[in-house]
Amino acid sequence: MNLIFIGGSFDPPHRGHYEIIRYCCEKCDQLVLIPSTLSPLKHHPPVAEQHNRLKMLELLTQDFDFSIKIDDWELVQSGPNYTYQTIQYLQKQYPEYSISMVIGADQLVKFQQWKKYKEIMSSIHIIGFNRSYCDYMPLSGMNFTWIEDFNVDISSTEIREKIAKGQNIGNELSQSIRAYIQENNLYGYQ
């Protein structure tokens, strides 16, 4: 059986995340979303509090007719969390599954900076989603699938900036997440 996991800050989860989830649901038996506290390679923690990001992920996935688990394991860990630790956790939780990790090309270009990246490469399959502004070649020995024709370049950072400035965010967020952000005054909503 196949398990795919998607990690990230999901701050906020947007249409790009939705499309990746939709793609992955067709390719696995179990999908796990793992929101992070603070990525070791990022300089700032997520803007929205953990409970808000969990709720927005629930809203994002509520219409899927598929087994999607939102796992708060990284959120309850103390200190920085590294992907290899998350993989070890998933391997213990799902010993009968073959595990794949979804990662965007913007993060793949930094992959060699990840702690124990060679251990990650040898223990799981990696599914890379292209971004138009990235030029990436997989590392030698990487068990890798490249999703070249994924053309949804949406940035959570840009969405937060637009919300704070009162600018139109178009269809980048679902109606339910947009309403949740407004009701909870997230990201400087005006």
Side-chain angles (χ1 to χ4, degrees):
M1 294 196 306
N2 296 318
L3 178 147
I4 296 176
F5 80 95
I6 306 170
S9 59
F10 302 106
D11 190 27
H14 51 65
R15 187 171 55 84
H17 295 126
Y18 181 91
E19 293 300 328
I20 290 170
I21 291 167
R22 189 169 62 81
Y23 174 88
C24 291
C25 285
E26 299 171 3
K27 306 292 182 192
C28 68
D29 302 296
Q30 177 67 58
L31 182 64
V32 180
L33 305 178
I34 303 182
S36 62
T37 301
L38 175 61
S39 170
L41 295 180
K42 290 189 177 179
H43 303 294
H44 303 288
V47 175
E49 293 181 24
Q50 295 176 3
H51 72 277
N52 287 319
R53 292 184 295 127
L54 287 169
K55 181 61 181 174
M56 287 187 285
L57 276 177
E58 289 174 15
L59 293 170
L60 183 74
T61 59
Q62 67 188 355
D63 295 331
F64 281 93
D65 186 22
F66 188 80
S67 174
I68 299 173
K69 178 172 176 41
I70 300 169
D71 192 316
D72 68 353
W73 184 80
E74 285 192 11
L75 298 177
V76 299
Q77 302 304 304
S78 61
N81 188 76
Y82 297 96
T83 300
Y84 81 89
Q85 295 168 312
T86 302
I87 292 167
Q88 291 171 344
Y89 161 75
L90 289 170
Q91 288 170 332
K92 289 177 187 167
Q93 294 296 309
Y94 301 92
E96 68 280 9
Y97 284 80
S98 171
I99 297 176
S100 296
M101 173 181 67
V102 166
I103 183 170
D106 57 325
Q107 294 301 310
L108 277 168
V109 298
K110 304 174 190 175
F111 188 71
Q112 287 177 279
Q113 298 174 37
W114 290 22
K115 190 167 189 160
K116 299 192 178 186
Y117 76 93
K118 290 182 180 178
E119 183 178 311
I120 294 169
M121 282 177 35
S122 67
S123 64
I124 62 165
H125 176 249
I126 297 172
I127 303 170
F129 279 81
N130 192 25
R131 298 197 77 160
S132 63
Y133 54 84
C134 291
D135 184 21
Y136 179 74
M137 291 294 297
L139 300 173
S140 177
M142 185 180 274
N143 182 5
F144 185 77
T145 300
W146 185 241
I147 311 303
E148 179 71 38
D149 60 349
F150 186 75
N151 296 315
V152 183
D153 280 335
I154 299 175
S155 161
S156 292
T157 301
E158 290 176 11
I159 291 172
R160 291 192 307 271
E161 290 170 358
K162 286 179 181 179
I163 291 171
K165 294 175 182 174
Q167 295 176 345
N168 183 358
I169 53 174
N171 67 348
E172 296 173 355
L173 297 176
S174 70
Q175 289 295 339
S176 59
I177 291 175
R178 189 186 307 248
Y180 184 85
I181 289 170
Q182 182 178 0
E183 291 164 13
N184 292 277
N185 298 313
L186 302 178
Y187 311 119
Y189 183 84
Q190 301 175 10

